[in-house]
Amino acid sequence: MTLPANQAGMPGPSPSGPSSLKPTAPRSMSFVSANPLAVSGHEGLRPPAFAASNRTMSTPHVLGPPRSSSLVASGAPGSFSADMRSTTASRLATLRADYGSSQRAESGEKMELTESELQVVDLRERLNKEMKIKEGSENMLEALNTKKAKQTKEQRARVESELNAANRNIGQLKIQIEELQQPKPAEGSSRSRISNLFRGNVPRSISGNMAKVAADSSDEAEDAESPTFALSEILLSLEAAAMSSDYYIERANSLVELFKRHPTLKYDLAWSDFGLQMQTLLLSDSREVVAAGYRVTRYAITDRKSLQTIRGLNTDYLVILSLVKEGKANVEREQALKFVRAFLDVKDGVEEISCAVLRTVVSVADHDEDRLRSICIETLAEILIRAPALVVAAGGIRTLTASLTDGKYEVPESLVTAFLYLLDMPRGRKYLHAGQGLEVVFSAFADSLQGRAHDQRLKSNARVVRSALRTWSGLALFAMDNFRAVKSLVLALRRPFDQTRDIIFELLFDILRIKLPSWSSSFLAGRRLTTYGRVTNLRSEGLLQVVSLSADDYTGQHSLVDHFISLILAILFESGLVEVLYGLLNGDLDALLRRKATLLLGEVLTMGSRLLPDRYNVPSQLLPDLYSWATAFGLTERFVAASTVYQLDSVNRTLQRSGAATAACSPTSTAVVEYQEKARPLEQSRIQISAQIDEAQFRNHMLESQVLGHTNYTKWRWDILHAIVDGPLLNPKRLDEAIKATRFMKRLLDFYRPFKYRFADIRNTKPNQRYVRVGCSLLSTLLQTPDGVRYLMENKLLPQIAECLAQLDPKSGLTSSAPLFSPGRLAETLSSGYFSFIGTLSKDPKGMAMLERWRMINICHHLIGLSDRDDLIRLLLGHVDFSLNSHFRVMLSKALTGCAKDIRIYATSLLRPYALRAGRPGSSAGSSTHEIGPSEWAIRLLMTQLYDPDVEVCETAVRILEEACNRTACLEFVVRCCPALDHLGEIGAPLLLRFLSSSLGYRYLDDLDYITREMDDWFLGRNETYVTLVEANMAQAMQTPDGQRQSTADLPAPGPSGVAPPHFYRELTRTAEGCKLLVEKGHFVEFVHTLRECWMEQDDAEVILKVKGYLWAIGNVGSMELGAPFIEESKVIELIVQIAEESEVVTLRGTAFFVLGLISRSRRGSQLVVDYGWTGAVGPMCESAGLCIPVDLGPLFSVCCSSLRARARVLAWAWGRPADGDAGGVQMRSWGDEATEADLVAGTVDAAALAADDDDALNARVLDLVVNSCNSILTGRTYSDFLRLRDRKPPGYHDPAFFRKVMGLLEGHHYHLPMRRFILDQFDKSVLRRIVLDDDEVEAGVEVDADADVDADAPAAAKTLLDAANDDDGDMDVDSDAAVGPAP
C-alpha cells in the first residue's frame, strides 16, 4: 500500500505554499470533550485533541459514508437538473486508524478486508445454489401442472415446500451480503474514538452487558457529532496519496453531507487549507473527482466574500476548461455549470462572474447539439436581468435573440421576460437597439420556406409574440415606428402560404382573447348554424353569459383586460387587419381558412363595437369593400363576396343568440332583466305549443321514441323522449293517457328504479348525463299535476331510493355487502344521478312531502354526520335546493359547523347563489323564522362562517359577502348585523371597504375608528402594495385563457381576474362624508404634488413605485361621480396624459393609460379626458364604458423608438488590467471590479499589440491564429496551421503567462465551442496546474522520485490526486442534490 504524504516524510498541503519540500513532523492531535476549535497557531481546521492523551496519529482518520447514503436534499445551490444519479456504489476500502506501527496497521487492514471478501464470496456461492434450486422447483411445478392433480398431489406439495425454503434462504442470504458490503459506521465522535484508542486495554473477558453498554454509548456519541472534528478528519483524509477515485469521491460526498447536516459550518471554514484541498480535487484527471470538487465548493458558498475567495483560487480557469470539454465529460461539465449558477443564488454574486466564464457559457449556448444548451440559455437570461452589461460584453444578446427565433428552445417565453424587463427603464433599454431583439421574431412570418422545421419555428415565434403582447412593454416595443412590427404580421396574411395564415389566425385569436363558442367547430367544419337543438342551447348559454357579465358591470368593477384589449384592437385596426381580411375573403382561399377568417372578422367587428370608439366602428361595420364587390353584378367574383356577406351575417346572428353581442351592449342590470323577460316568454311559448298536440300526434311521438317497442333503453330515442317529457306530458290528459292507456310511463320509471340495475349500472360519462337530465325533467313534470303526483307516490322508485340510502345509515338497521351508493359506484356509474332526483324533489313542496313520507329526510340527517363519506355529503348538499325553508337548510347549517374543513368550505360556497339572489334581505325581520327568504338566510349563515376556526372558511365567506354587498340592500343588511372582523385581519379588509359605499356603513366604521387608521395606512404604504396587487392580477388574467381565476375544487370563482381590485379611496369617495374627510386630510393634494415632482424619475425603483401608487389613488378617486370634482379642480388630467405620452418608464405609461380609463368612467371625467385628445367607447345609453384610448396612438408608443435609437448599440468587452509582475498578461476579473461606463468600449482585440510583447516568433504566430480562429471563414485554414505549428513545439504551450494571454483573447472574442476546445487542448496540462497552484517556477517534465511517489516540484496532495486518481472516463449522471459517484 502506498503511504500517504505524511507517513512518507513529505509535507501535505500547507497555507505557506505548495513549493515547500522539507520533511515535517507528524501532526499531533489532542482530543477534548468540549466543542473543538482549530489548533492554535494554524489557520486550517485541525482535529481537536484530548487532554488525557498525547498520542499522535500517523495516518489520517477517514470518515466514509455508508454505501446506501445518497445525499439528496432540496434547494442545492446552483442546481438545475433532477435526472442525475450516481451510477456506482462506493467501495468498501477505508483507512483504519492504528496507534502502533504502520506495518501492523496495513496488515490488519488487509486481513479485515480479506475476511469480509471471503465471507461475501461464500455467501454468493450459496446464493447461486439456492437460485438454481428455486429455478428447478419452478420448472418442476410447471411440468406438474400438465398432469392430473390427484396423481401429483404429494409430489406437488414436496416441490412447493422446497420452493418456499429456497425463497426464504435467498432472502436471508441477500440480507447477509448487504450487511457485509456496507462499510463500518463512521467514527466521527470523540467518545467513540476514546473507545477505539483504548481498545487494546480492554480485558478479553468483558461481559455481554458491558459490551451492550459500550454499544449504547457509541450510538449516543454518533448523535453528538462534532462538525469541526468531522470536517478536519475528512480534510485530512483527502491528503492521502495513491488512492482510487472512489476514495476521493466518497470523502467529497461525506463533506457535502456534513454541510447539509450543519449548515452553519461553512461560515467557519479556513479557506487556506480547505481551498487547497478543493484545488487538488479540481485538478484531478478523473472527471468524477473534478465533479465532486465542484459540488463540494458549491455547497461551501456563503456570501459574496466567499465567492471572491473561491475565485482567488483560480477557479475561473478550471471552470472554462471544464465547460469546453467534450460530451463524454458531461458529469464534470454539469457540475461546473451548477457551480456558475450558484453565484446567482448569492446576493450580488452575479458581479463575481467573470466575462471569460460567461463567454464560455455563451459558446455552449450557441452549440445546438450540446446537452447543456438549454440550461446555458436559461442562465444567460437570468444574468441578463441582473447584470445586462455583463451579458452584452460577453456577446450573449445575439445568442438569446437567436434562441428566440430558431424555434429550437423549448420555453421561449422565459427569454421574452428577460428582454421585456430591460425594455421597461432607460438603463436597460440602452443595451438593446432597434431592429434586433424581439422584433426579429416577425421575420419568420415573412419567410417563403416550407416544411416541418419552418412550421415549428413559426409556432415558436408565435408563442413569443403572444407572450410579448400580453405585457405593456411588449406592446410598446411592437407598436414603435408606426406599428411596423404589427403591420408586418398583418401583411403576412397576404402571402400564399396556408400554414402561415393558419398560425397567424390562431395567434390573433389568442392575442384578442377570443374564446371560440361551442358552435365554432361545426361552423369551421362547413355545417350551417340553423339547427333546432343548437339554437335552443345557444339561447340558454347566452342567458348565462349575459347574467355573468352584467353582474360584473353592476358591481362597478373596471376590467383592465378589456381596456388593454381595446388598445391592441385599435392597433390592429390601424395596421389594416380588417382590410386584409376583406381581401382574403374575396380571394382564392382554402375553405377551412375562409371560414376561420370569416369567424375572426365577425368577432373583431363585434369586439370593436363594444370596445372601440365610433371613429373605428363606423367605417368597418358597414363592410364597404364586401358590399361593393357583392353588388358588382357584371362580375362573376361577386358571388364569392355575396357568400362572405351571408356567412358574416350568419356568424353575427349566432353570436347575438349566444349572448356575446347582447352582453357587450348590456352593461347594466336592467338589460339583464329585460333579456330575461324576453327570453322567458319565448321558451314558454314553445312548451305550450308542443303541449297542445292531439292524441294521434302524441301516440306518434311515443312510437317514435321506441319506448313502447323495445325494453332495451339503448334503442330508445332520448331526444324525442326529452321533448315529450318537457312538452305533452305537462298536459294532464296526455299524462293520463301515458299512464293508463300505454306502458310508456311504467317502462320509463322502471328504467330508473335502483334495483333494476339498468340506470344505476350505466357508466358515468358526459354523454350519459342525458339519462340524468331526462329523469329530472320527468320528476319535475310529474310534480306539476295531481295525477302525476299520485302516480309517483305509488311507484316503487322513491321507496327503493330510500332503501339504498338507508343502507348507509348506521341507525336504520339495514346493511348491504355491495351498497348502491358505495364510493366506487358513485364515481364510476350514474348512481350519483339519484341525488339529482332528490334535488329536483326538494324544489317543490309536494316533492318534500314525498321525501318525508319515505323517511329520506331523517336518513339524510344521519348521513350528514358521517365522518368517512365526504363524497356522499358533497353529492347531497350539491344537488339539493335550499330555496324552500325545509329540513335541508338545517342539514346545511349542520355541515357548516360540524363537518370537516373541506366540507365546510364547500358548504359555504353553496351559499353564494342564494346570497346573490334578487330580493331585499331583512324585510322579514319581524316575521317568523319559516318566512325568511333565501337571500337573508344565506347572508345570516355567511355571517356565522366569519367566526369559523379555519381561515380558509372565513376567507370564502368574506369573498361571497363582498360580492353580495354590491347590492345596496344586502350591504345595508350586513352592516346592520354589525359583524366583528378584527380577528380576520387582512382577510376581512375587502368587506370593510365595501361598508364605506354607504352612509350607514361609513358611520359604523367611523364609530370603530377604522376609517382614520385605514386611511393613514394607505397613505403611508398601502398604495404601493396596491400596485403590486393590481399588476399581479393583470398578469394572471392575461396568462389565463378565459380570464377567470383558477379556483380550488368545487369552489366557484368569485369573479373574473383582470379587474381593478377594491381601493380605499374609491370606496371613500362614494359618500359625501368620505369626500369631506378626504378634503380635511389633504391626501389628494399630496398625491398630485408628489406626482408633479417625481413623474420624470427613471432609475429609482422606489420612487417609481410610489408614483404608480399615487396614480392609482387619483384614478380611483376620479372614477366616482363625487370624486370627479377633485380631478377637475387639481387639473391633474393634463399631467396624467403627459405621463402616458412622455414618461421614459414604459410601465409607468401603462399605469397612466389605465388610470385615464378609470377617470373616464364618471360622466365628468369622460368629458375632461375628451378635452385632452382621448376618446372611448360608450354604451347604448351613451354611458361611458371606461375604455378610453388616445385619438393619435403615436405618442403613446414613442418611448422605445426614441430611446433605442438614441443609443443604437452598446457592445463591450470586459477587459481587465495586466496582472502585477506579468507584462502583457490579461487577468480575468468579474464585472463588478471597478467597471465603469468607460470600460464599455466597442472594438476588437489588438492581436498585434499582444504579439509584440512576446519575443518568440512561434508564440506570436499562435496569437495570430487564435485571433483568426474567431472568423468562421478562416476556420479550416486555422486548423491546419495549428496542426503544423504543433510539430514545431511553440514554447508558449508550456508557459503560464502565454496561457493567460490566450485566455484574454478568448475572453475578448466570440469563438464556437469546438474551436475553444481545440485551442485550449494545445497547451500542456501542467500549465493549468501551475497557474491554479500559483507555482509559475515549475518546469514541465521534471522526473518523479519513485520512492517518494510524489513530484519533486509539485505539492504533494495535488500530485497524488493528479497521478493516482486516473480511473475510467465513462459518463455518469450526478444529481444536483445527490452524491457524486464513480463511473462503472
Side-chain angles (χ1 to χ4, degrees):
M1 177 177 177
T2 304
L3 294 179
N6 304 42
Q7 297 181 10
M10 299 303 298
S14 63
S16 60
S19 60
S20 177
L21 302 177
K22 296 180 181 180
T24 58
R27 293 178 180 144
S28 61
M29 292 182 155
S30 60
F31 299 84
V32 293
S33 59
N35 187 18
L37 299 175
V39 177
S40 175
H42 200 284
E43 294 181 5
L45 290 175
R46 292 289 180 261
F50 292 99
S53 175
N54 294 324
R55 295 175 181 260
T56 60
M57 291 183 62
S58 59
T59 303
H61 203 83
V62 177
L63 281 177
R67 168 183 286 269
S68 60
S69 63
S70 178
L71 307 184
V72 179
S74 59
S79 61
F80 60 84
S81 175
D83 60 347
M84 305 159 63
R85 289 286 183 269
S86 176
T87 57
T88 58
S90 59
R91 296 177 61 182
L92 294 173
T94 58
L95 291 178
R96 190 181 173 194
D98 190 10
Y99 302 96
S101 63
S102 61
Q103 289 83 5
R104 203 168 53 199
E106 293 181 10
S107 62
E109 183 180 7
K110 291 180 180 178
M111 290 174 59
E112 182 181 357
L113 292 176
T114 302
E115 291 176 0
S116 63
E117 289 178 357
L118 288 176
Q119 292 179 8
V120 170
V121 170
D122 181 56
L123 291 175
R124 287 190 181 278
E125 291 179 357
R126 294 170 55 187
L127 179 63
N128 292 333
K129 187 181 297 184
E130 295 292 339
M131 293 292 292
K132 292 179 181 179
I133 295 174
K134 176 184 177 182
E135 184 178 358
S137 302
E138 291 176 348
N139 294 335
M140 180 63 71
L141 285 176
E142 292 180 2
L144 293 176
N145 288 334
T146 60
K147 300 180 180 181
K148 294 183 179 180
K150 293 183 179 180
Q151 299 176 356
T152 61
K153 183 176 180 180
E154 296 180 358
Q155 189 176 4
R156 184 188 301 275
R158 289 197 303 270
V159 174
E160 288 179 351
S161 63
E162 290 290 338
L163 180 61
N164 294 333
N167 288 329
R168 288 194 300 270
N169 294 336
I170 289 173
Q172 294 175 359
L173 290 173
K174 287 183 177 180
I175 293 175
Q176 294 177 10
I177 292 173
E178 290 179 358
E179 291 177 352
L180 288 175
Q181 287 181 341
Q182 288 182 355
K184 295 184 178 180
E187 302 172 0
S189 63
S190 59
R191 294 186 180 179
S192 63
R193 296 196 176 280
I194 293 177
S195 61
N196 291 333
L197 186 63
F198 299 101
R199 184 178 299 172
N201 298 330
V202 178
R204 296 184 180 272
S205 60
I206 183 172
S207 64
N209 292 333
M210 294 179 64
K212 184 176 180 180
V213 172
D216 294 341
S217 63
S218 177
D219 295 339
E220 294 177 358
E222 290 181 0
D223 296 335
E225 177 188 35
S226 172
T228 54
F229 189 89
L231 176 64
S232 302
E233 286 217 332
I234 296 175
L235 293 180
L236 282 177
S237 65
L238 287 175
E239 296 179 5
M243 304 302 294
S244 65
S245 60
D246 300 0
Y247 175 86
Y248 298 106
I249 291 173
E250 285 187 9
R251 273 54 187 179
N253 290 338
S254 300
L255 198 55
V256 172
E257 183 69 20
L258 184 65
F259 286 147
K260 290 181 179 180
R261 291 197 304 269
H262 306 281
T264 59
L265 181 62
K266 57 187 176 181
Y267 292 94
D268 300 326
L269 289 176
W271 280 95
S272 56
D273 282 354
F274 181 82
L276 186 58
Q277 296 300 331
M278 295 305 103
Q279 284 179 320
T280 57
L281 291 176
L282 296 176
L283 286 171
S284 172
D285 289 339
S286 173
R287 296 162 185 164
E288 289 77 20
V289 174
V290 177
Y294 282 124
R295 185 165 179 260
V296 174
T297 309
R298 173 160 52 94
Y299 274 89
I301 294 175
T302 55
D303 51 15
R304 185 177 179 183
K305 186 177 180 181
S306 67
L307 294 179
Q308 295 171 352
T309 304
I310 291 173
R311 293 191 65 241
L313 302 175
N314 296 313
T315 54
D316 287 347
Y317 295 104
L318 295 167
V319 171
I320 292 172
L321 290 176
S322 296
L323 290 176
V324 300
K325 289 184 178 181
E326 296 180 352
K328 60 183 180 180
N330 273 333
V331 178
E332 178 181 343
R333 300 176 72 235
E334 287 172 355
Q335 291 296 331
L337 186 56
K338 292 175 185 177
F339 172 71
V340 175
R341 288 179 57 84
F343 283 50
L344 304 178
D345 298 333
V346 179
K347 182 180 180 181
D348 298 331
V350 68
E351 298 182 3
E352 295 300 327
I353 299 178
S354 68
C355 188
V357 172
L358 199 61
R359 277 279 188 188
T360 310
V361 175
V362 171
S363 298
V364 177
D366 278 337
H367 199 56
D368 294 339
E369 300 177 357
D370 198 282
R371 182 169 174 259
L372 301 180
R373 178 177 183 265
S374 297
I375 190 58
C376 286
I377 293 174
E378 194 69 25
T379 302
L380 290 176
E382 294 180 25
I383 299 177
L384 181 63
I385 294 176
R386 303 186 185 186
L390 178 58
V391 178
V392 173
I397 296 292
R398 179 190 55 81
T399 301
L400 293 177
T401 304
S403 302
L404 277 175
T405 58
D406 59 11
K408 299 178 182 179
Y409 187 58
E410 294 82 1
V411 280
E413 295 86 353
S414 61
L415 304 184
V416 175
T417 304
F419 280 99
L420 296 179
Y421 178 80
L422 292 184
L423 287 171
D424 187 21
M425 295 185 182
R427 66 187 181 197
R429 287 197 296 271
K430 67 183 179 182
Y431 299 109
L432 305 175
H433 56 93
Q436 295 188 9
L438 294 180
E439 291 178 298
V440 183
V441 299
F442 289 93
S443 61
F445 299 100
D447 289 343
S448 301
L449 302 175
Q450 296 294 317
R452 184 175 181 180
H454 183 63
D455 293 345
Q456 181 181 359
R457 183 189 175 197
L458 281 176
K459 293 178 181 179
S460 177
N461 290 5
R463 291 166 59 190
V464 173
V465 175
R466 183 189 306 115
S467 299
L469 286 179
R470 287 174 176 174
T471 63
W472 186 265
S473 299
L475 182 61
L477 174 66
F478 292 157
M480 61 180 290
D481 287 342
N482 195 21
F483 323 118
R484 179 182 60 188
V486 180
K487 286 182 179 179
S488 67
L489 179 67
V490 173
L491 294 177
L493 289 171
R494 293 181 176 176
R495 301 181 62 83
F497 302 112
D498 291 345
Q499 183 65 20
T500 303
R501 288 172 173 173
D502 186 52
I503 292 176
I504 295 177
F505 283 150
E506 295 294 335
L507 176 61
L508 292 175
F509 277 116
D510 289 339
I511 291 174
L512 297 176
R513 298 174 56 78
I514 298 175
K515 185 179 180 181
L516 296 179
S518 58
W519 48 265
S520 61
S521 58
S522 301
F523 175 74
L524 295 178
R527 290 191 286 269
R528 300 178 64 184
L529 302 178
T530 56
T531 59
Y532 174 81
R534 184 176 292 110
V535 173
T536 304
N537 295 335
L538 291 177
R539 182 180 293 112
S540 60
E541 292 176 4
L543 178 59
L544 294 177
Q545 293 181 11
V546 172
V547 171
S548 61
L549 290 174
S550 300
D552 290 340
D553 288 333
Y554 174 70
T555 61
Q557 294 178 337
H558 176 61
S559 177
L560 303 178
V561 172
D562 285 347
H563 197 188
F564 188 73
I565 294 299
S566 68
L567 183 60
I568 297 179
L569 194 61
I571 293 175
L572 290 174
F573 270 75
E574 294 283 353
S575 302
L577 175 63
V578 177
E579 290 77 8
V580 170
L581 291 177
Y582 286 159
L584 290 176
L585 293 174
N586 196 46
D588 186 11
L589 197 62
D590 179 74
L592 178 61
L593 292 179
R594 178 180 296 278
R595 286 183 169 266
K596 188 171 289 189
T598 302
L599 183 59
L600 176 61
L601 181 59
E603 291 280 4
V604 166
L605 294 179
T606 302
M607 292 180 64
S609 64
R610 178 171 65 97
L611 302 177
L612 294 180
D614 293 339
R615 62 182 295 264
Y616 292 100
N617 291 320
V618 172
S620 59
Q621 296 290 339
L622 298 178
L623 307 178
D625 295 337
L626 283 179
Y627 274 112
S628 61
W629 292 332
T631 55
F633 296 100
L635 301 176
T636 57
E637 291 80 3
R638 76 177 186 86
F639 297 105
V640 177
S643 175
T644 302
V645 172
Y646 170 76
Q647 288 186 357
L648 281 174
D649 180 64
S650 176
V651 168
N652 185 59
R653 285 186 287 105
T654 309
L655 288 174
Q656 292 284 346
R657 288 196 299 267
S658 64
T662 307
C665 301
S666 305
T668 61
S669 59
T670 306
V672 179
V673 176
E674 293 176 355
Y675 184 86
Q676 293 173 342
E677 291 176 354
K678 294 178 181 178
R680 193 176 296 110
L682 291 174
E683 187 73 15
Q684 187 70 19
S685 63
R686 182 185 67 83
I687 294 176
Q688 290 178 355
I689 293 174
S690 60
Q692 299 303 323
I693 60 177
D694 56 16
E695 182 180 353
Q697 291 176 332
F698 179 61
R699 285 183 174 273
N700 288 334
H701 282 306
M702 288 193 296
L703 291 175
E704 290 176 359
S705 67
Q706 303 295 325
V707 175
L708 299 178
H710 300 280
T711 58
N712 187 356
Y713 71 91
T714 59
K715 296 183 179 180
W716 295 353
R717 297 283 303 276
W718 287 93
D719 53 345
I720 299 178
L721 266 177
H722 203 171
I724 293 175
V725 170
D726 286 344
L729 290 184
L730 292 174
N731 188 337
K733 189 174 182 181
R734 302 281 84 83
L735 179 63
D736 183 72
E737 182 180 352
I739 294 174
K740 297 180 180 179
T742 64
R743 299 176 62 86
F744 179 83
M745 188 62 64
K746 183 179 185 303
R747 285 188 176 180
L748 199 55
L749 284 180
D750 285 349
F751 165 73
Y752 287 104
R753 283 167 56 183
F755 295 149
K756 291 287 186 179
Y757 291 103
R758 302 171 70 190
F759 171 78
D761 283 349
I762 300 176
R763 293 194 61 82
N764 187 7
T765 61
K766 186 175 181 180
N768 290 342
Q769 290 296 320
R770 59 179 178 173
Y771 304 125
V772 180
R773 291 192 293 269
V774 173
C776 293
S777 298
L778 179 62
L779 294 179
S780 179
T781 299
L782 291 176
L783 291 175
Q784 303 301 318
T785 59
D787 293 339
V789 172
R790 188 182 310 108
Y791 184 75
L792 187 60
M793 291 281 288
E794 297 172 355
N795 194 272
K796 297 181 181 180
L797 174 64
L798 296 183
Q800 290 186 7
I801 295 177
E803 184 176 349
C804 292
L805 288 174
Q807 294 173 358
L808 304 176
D809 184 7
K811 299 181 180 180
S812 65
L814 296 178
T815 58
S816 174
S817 59
L820 188 69
F821 294 142
S822 63
R825 292 186 62 89
L826 288 178
E828 298 176 1
T829 66
L830 290 183
S831 301
S832 58
Y834 289 112
F835 292 93
S836 299
F837 298 166
I838 296 176
T840 302
L841 295 174
S842 66
K843 299 177 182 179
D844 192 277
K846 296 184 289 294
M848 289 297 303
M850 295 181 188
L851 294 176
E852 292 178 359
R853 176 185 177 184
W854 298 111
R855 308 292 183 183
M856 277 192 264
I857 298 296
N858 295 338
I859 296 175
C860 290
H861 269 292
H862 299 156
L863 294 180
I864 293 296
L866 297 178
S867 59
D868 57 342
R869 291 302 305 272
D870 289 352
D871 58 331
L872 201 66
I873 300 175
R874 285 174 179 267
L875 281 173
L876 179 60
L877 297 179
H879 291 89
V880 167
D881 187 87
F882 301 100
S883 300
L884 299 177
N885 190 6
S886 61
H887 286 277
F888 287 113
R889 288 189 177 183
V890 181
M891 298 180 197
L892 183 63
S893 301
K894 181 178 179 181
L896 288 171
T897 56
C899 292
K901 183 187 75 171
D902 293 339
I903 297 298
R904 298 203 307 274
I905 295 176
Y906 178 72
T908 304
S909 66
L910 293 177
L911 295 172
R912 180 174 178 267
Y914 302 97
L916 302 180
R917 183 171 296 184
R920 186 175 182 86
S923 58
S924 57
S927 305
S928 59
T929 305
H930 66 277
E931 297 179 354
I932 296 179
S935 179
E936 181 178 349
W937 164 77
I939 290 177
R940 288 184 181 275
L941 288 182
L942 288 171
M943 299 289 287
T944 305
Q945 293 304 99
L946 294 176
Y947 307 101
D948 191 275
D950 194 273
V951 177
E952 295 183 21
V953 179
C954 301
E955 187 176 2
T956 304
V958 167
R959 288 205 305 263
I960 299 174
L961 285 174
E962 180 187 357
E963 193 173 358
C965 286
N966 293 321
R967 295 169 48 217
T968 305
C970 290
L971 174 62
E972 294 179 352
F973 178 73
V974 172
V975 172
R976 285 197 298 270
C977 292
C978 300
L981 302 177
D982 294 341
H983 64 289
L984 296 179
E986 292 295 330
I987 297 177
L991 184 58
L992 291 176
L993 285 181
R994 291 294 185 192
F995 290 180
L996 290 174
S997 303
S998 66
S999 299
L1000 180 63
Y1002 181 89
R1003 291 191 294 270
Y1004 169 70
L1005 295 178
D1006 191 31
D1007 294 339
L1008 298 177
D1009 197 24
Y1010 168 81
I1011 298 178
T1012 303
R1013 290 185 286 106
E1014 190 73 6
M1015 194 171 187
D1016 294 339
D1017 191 13
W1018 276 81
F1019 182 75
L1020 295 177
R1022 290 284 292 279
N1023 281 316
E1024 289 80 353
T1025 306
Y1026 183 85
V1027 175
T1028 305
L1029 176 63
V1030 71
E1031 290 181 355
N1033 192 8
M1034 183 69 177
Q1036 179 189 10
M1038 295 305 296
Q1039 296 298 328
T1040 307
D1042 56 357
Q1044 296 294 325
R1045 295 177 186 170
Q1046 298 177 354
S1047 56
T1048 56
D1050 301 317
L1051 180 60
S1057 58
V1059 299
H1063 198 284
F1064 174 80
Y1065 290 99
R1066 172 182 171 84
E1067 305 300 327
L1068 187 66
T1069 51
R1070 287 180 181 270
T1071 59
E1073 296 88 346
C1075 293
K1076 182 179 179 181
L1077 180 63
L1078 185 60
V1079 173
E1080 294 175 355
K1081 288 286 187 178
H1083 287 185
F1084 190 85
V1085 177
E1086 183 64 25
F1087 294 157
V1088 176
H1089 176 72
T1090 304
L1091 209 61
R1092 297 185 187 277
E1093 294 291 333
C1094 304
W1095 74 271
M1096 298 183 66
E1097 179 62 42
Q1098 302 178 8
D1099 298 325
D1100 194 335
E1102 294 184 1
V1103 175
I1104 294 174
L1105 183 64
K1106 179 175 290 188
V1107 171
K1108 289 181 180 179
Y1110 288 173
L1111 275 174
W1112 284 112
I1114 293 172
N1116 278 279
V1117 170
S1119 64
M1120 305 307 299
E1121 296 296 338
L1122 295 178
F1126 291 92
I1127 302 294
E1128 186 174 8
E1129 294 173 1
S1130 61
K1131 299 181 180 180
V1132 73
I1133 288 187
E1134 180 180 2
L1135 178 60
I1136 298 176
V1137 171
Q1138 187 178 6
I1139 294 174
E1141 297 180 351
E1142 298 180 9
S1143 176
E1144 291 295 329
V1145 181
V1146 178
T1147 53
L1148 191 56
R1149 289 193 178 204
T1151 303
F1153 171 79
F1154 290 124
V1155 166
L1156 288 172
L1158 277 174
I1159 295 176
S1160 66
R1161 298 197 66 193
S1162 61
R1163 288 191 296 269
R1164 183 54 185 160
S1166 61
Q1167 297 173 3
L1168 295 174
V1169 167
V1170 171
D1171 295 340
Y1172 289 96
W1174 287 57
T1175 182
V1178 294
M1181 303 301 295
C1182 294
E1183 71 277 7
S1184 175
L1187 308 173
C1188 68
I1189 59 176
V1191 176
D1192 183 12
L1193 296 176
L1196 191 62
F1197 304 110
S1198 60
V1199 57
C1200 287
C1201 180
S1202 60
S1203 296
L1204 293 179
R1205 289 193 173 181
R1207 305 194 59 175
R1209 188 171 183 177
V1210 179
L1211 292 176
W1213 311 106
W1215 284 94
R1217 299 178 178 84
D1220 296 337
D1222 184 14
V1226 179
Q1227 180 185 10
M1228 287 184 292
R1229 61 171 174 81
S1230 63
W1231 191 251
D1233 296 339
E1234 302 178 2
T1236 61
E1237 193 71 20
D1239 294 326
L1240 301 176
V1241 181
T1244 58
V1245 177
D1246 190 358
L1250 289 177
D1253 295 337
D1254 204 308
D1255 298 334
D1256 192 280
L1258 292 180
N1259 291 348
R1261 178 56 180 160
V1262 171
L1263 294 177
D1264 291 336
L1265 292 178
V1266 171
V1267 174
N1268 294 335
S1269 298
C1270 65
N1271 190 339
S1272 59
I1273 299 176
L1274 303 176
T1275 301
R1277 190 176 66 182
T1278 304
Y1279 268 113
S1280 302
D1281 292 344
F1282 263 119
L1283 294 177
R1284 285 194 298 268
L1285 198 60
R1286 179 189 295 175
D1287 298 334
R1288 301 174 62 182
K1289 297 181 179 180
Y1293 286 167
H1294 303 276
D1295 184 11
F1298 186 77
F1299 180 80
R1300 291 192 179 96
K1301 286 185 181 181
V1302 174
M1303 293 298 292
L1305 291 174
L1306 295 178
E1307 181 183 5
H1309 290 270
H1310 175 71
Y1311 293 84
H1312 294 294
L1313 184 61
M1315 180 56 71
R1316 282 182 177 268
R1317 183 186 308 121
F1318 178 77
I1319 293 174
L1320 293 176
D1321 286 344
Q1322 305 304 312
F1323 288 88
D1324 188 77
K1325 293 183 178 180
S1326 63
V1327 175
L1328 179 62
R1329 183 197 314 170
R1330 293 156 60 189
I1331 290 177
V1332 172
L1333 299 177
D1334 294 329
D1335 193 6
D1336 293 352
E1337 301 298 329
V1338 179
E1339 296 293 338
V1342 177
E1343 296 294 335
V1344 180
D1345 187 359
D1347 296 333
D1349 196 24
V1350 58
D1351 195 334
D1353 296 312
K1359 181 57 183 177
T1360 54
L1361 281 178
L1362 291 172
D1363 295 337
N1366 293 323
D1367 284 358
D1368 294 337
D1369 292 333
D1371 291 344
M1372 178 195 67
D1373 288 339
V1374 183
D1375 190 9
S1376 59
D1377 300 325
V1380 176

